[in-house]
Amino acid sequence: MHGPVDGRAPRLKRGRNRWIAVALTLLAAAGGGEVLATQYTQERIADSARRNLGLAAAPEVRVHGFPVSLQLARGVVTEADIDAAGVPADLDGRVLTVQDVAVHLRGVHRERDGGERADEAEVTATVAYDDLSAFYGVAIGRGEGDDRVAATARLPLLGQVTGSARIGVAAPDAVGLDDVRLPENVPPAARTLLERALERRTPLDRLPEGLALQSVAVTDHGIVARMSGHGVELRPRTA
């Protein structure tokens, strides 16, 4: 006979199966712990962004890199993305809503006061034309090219008047309109009124502290501002 005579082979097989079962159990436990660590980190960053940026609801957060549990132990999250909607900005009591904000963070640290700070950050903020119109008090839409918007206003005796303005970086934390162009038949008083309405900075006050505006582009859906910075804190500039 060629089969085992002392039962050692079956015992070895059972022992090996037990070790495999233990290893699988440990892997499952580790995987479950990683899921919890990822969930905790995303909720932590989302809550910090909600509280410090004045959001009505927690934004969507995704953390990257594996394992997240090890990143937590080291105190630095490698990378994280935040997608927020309806971020408020204000200037002299006038509110401008930034419809969509996409934030990419690298090297995210937990601050002692419960806030978050990133070694590097890149932000894309989109402001819809309806919100720009409410802020400027005239109808704003897309103009010609990628740096001009159309502006339409109703003036006494003149009816509807449409012109255009160039939009761009007015300051590290503000978008501005200038180079206002109006039809030649617009009276001086009306021209002055429209120029004053348009030549105004659009604040980005409640975006994360430490960012600097890099560019502004005109799109079909609104203006898109791109910012970046180092040592960026998830708290508004006005705090």
Side-chain angles (χ1 to χ4, degrees):
M1 296 180 62
H2 300 285
V5 294
D6 56 2
R8 283 181 296 177
R11 284 198 300 271
L12 288 173
K13 185 176 181 180
R14 287 195 297 270
R16 183 181 61 189
N17 289 341
R18 280 197 297 269
W19 280 113
I20 292 175
V22 170
L24 290 175
T25 301
L26 291 174
L27 285 174
E34 185 64 15
V35 170
L36 291 176
T38 300
Q39 182 178 353
Y40 163 77
T41 305
Q42 292 178 161
E43 291 179 352
R44 187 192 83 185
I45 296 174
D47 183 64
S48 178
R50 180 190 61 78
R51 288 184 290 103
N52 290 313
L53 299 180
L55 304 179
E60 179 183 346
V61 176
R62 299 177 303 281
V63 295
H64 308 286
F66 183 86
V68 176
S69 53
L70 182 58
Q71 296 178 46
L72 284 178
R74 292 174 176 173
V76 182
V77 176
T78 304
E79 291 186 82
D81 287 311
I82 302 175
D83 291 317
V87 179
D90 57 83
L91 179 67
D92 297 331
R94 304 183 68 180
V95 177
L96 173 71
T97 301
V98 183
Q99 289 295 344
D100 297 296
V101 177
V103 184
H104 181 67
L105 306 174
R106 299 185 187 90
V108 185
H109 306 258
R110 182 72 161 177
E111 300 284 78
R112 291 184 178 180
D113 61 0
E116 308 285 341
R117 177 177 55 84
D119 295 334
E120 299 178 27
E122 297 175 355
V123 176
T124 301
T126 302
V127 184
Y129 290 123
D130 287 345
D131 293 305
L132 282 173
S133 300
F135 181 78
Y136 283 103
V138 296
I140 301 291
R142 179 164 191 172
E144 296 182 0
D146 59 1
D147 66 345
R148 298 194 69 83
V149 295
T152 302
R154 288 191 172 277
L155 300 176
L157 303 179
L158 294 176
Q160 181 171 292
V161 176
T162 298
S164 70
R166 180 178 58 197
I167 192 164
V169 178
D173 59 354
V175 174
L177 292 176
D178 62 9
D179 189 25
V180 177
R181 299 176 185 176
L182 299 170
E184 294 182 358
N185 62 345
V186 176
R191 181 179 297 274
T192 299
L193 180 65
L194 280 172
E195 288 176 347
R196 286 179 178 176
L198 292 174
E199 291 180 346
R200 180 187 303 146
R201 290 183 175 184
T202 302
L204 300 172
D205 289 336
R206 300 196 64 84
L207 293 179
E209 178 69 37
L211 290 171
L213 188 60
Q214 303 297 328
S215 65
V216 180
V218 175
T219 72
D220 290 338
H221 306 290
I223 64 169
V224 177
R226 300 187 185 279
M227 292 155 278
S228 63
H230 299 273
V232 175
E233 300 180 9
L234 286 188
R235 66 182 75 252
R237 299 176 186 274
T238 54

